[in-house]
Amino acid sequence: MILIVVKMTVRPEYTDKWLDLVEDFTQATRDEPGNLFFEWSRSVDNPNQFVLVEGFASREAGDAHVNSTHFKTAMDEMAEAIATTPQIISTEAPGNGWSAMAELTPRNV
């Protein structure tokens, strides 16, 4: 699996519109055959920062994503809204998606 985490700091005037701005990109990516997950979160420390966690089934699936029309369109649209160059971690990871965490389970109440 290809695991990608991206931190994007957006301009304050785009913060409340960010998820709407990336909605088409998000849906198109989730519809890609090699996409395992594509999830946005908002930082609790910086209200203008969003974190994207992505998983792709293979290097080929990741390459297809980066070469897609919706990726190129999104990069162009996001360039106006970001405040800084995004930070990224991209690595190959074992497995094919999320696993259950062994160290923590819900208590029976």
Side-chain angles (χ1 to χ4, degrees):
M1 167 177 69
I2 303 302
L3 177 65
I4 302 167
V5 182
V6 184
K7 281 184 173 183
M8 294 193 188
T9 303
V10 302
R11 295 181 178 150
E13 62 270 25
Y14 283 91
T15 299
D16 291 335
K17 307 181 253 190
W18 181 255
L19 293 176
D20 290 332
L21 176 72
V22 298
E23 178 64 23
D24 289 344
F25 174 51
T26 298
Q27 290 307 314
T29 301
R30 288 177 177 169
D31 290 342
E32 292 175 18
N35 180 256
L36 302 172
F37 49 87
F38 196 83
E39 302 175 9
W40 291 97
S41 298
R42 192 170 183 178
S43 171
V44 296
D45 297 321
N46 179 348
N48 298 326
Q49 189 173 77
F50 292 84
V51 177
L52 175 60
V53 181
E54 312 172 52
F56 294 92
S58 64
R59 175 66 55 198
E60 294 78 19
D63 290 345
H65 168 65
V66 171
N67 290 308
S68 69
T69 301
H70 59 268
F71 180 89
K72 293 172 185 173
T73 299
M75 296 306 102
D76 184 55
E77 292 172 349
M78 285 191 258
E80 187 174 318
I82 59 172
T84 61
T85 301
Q87 298 174 292
I88 187 169
I89 298 170
S90 179
T91 189
E92 290 192 41
N96 59 0
W98 296 97
S99 299
M101 183 177 172
E103 298 83 6
L104 183 62
T105 58
R107 282 197 184 110
N108 293 329
V109 242

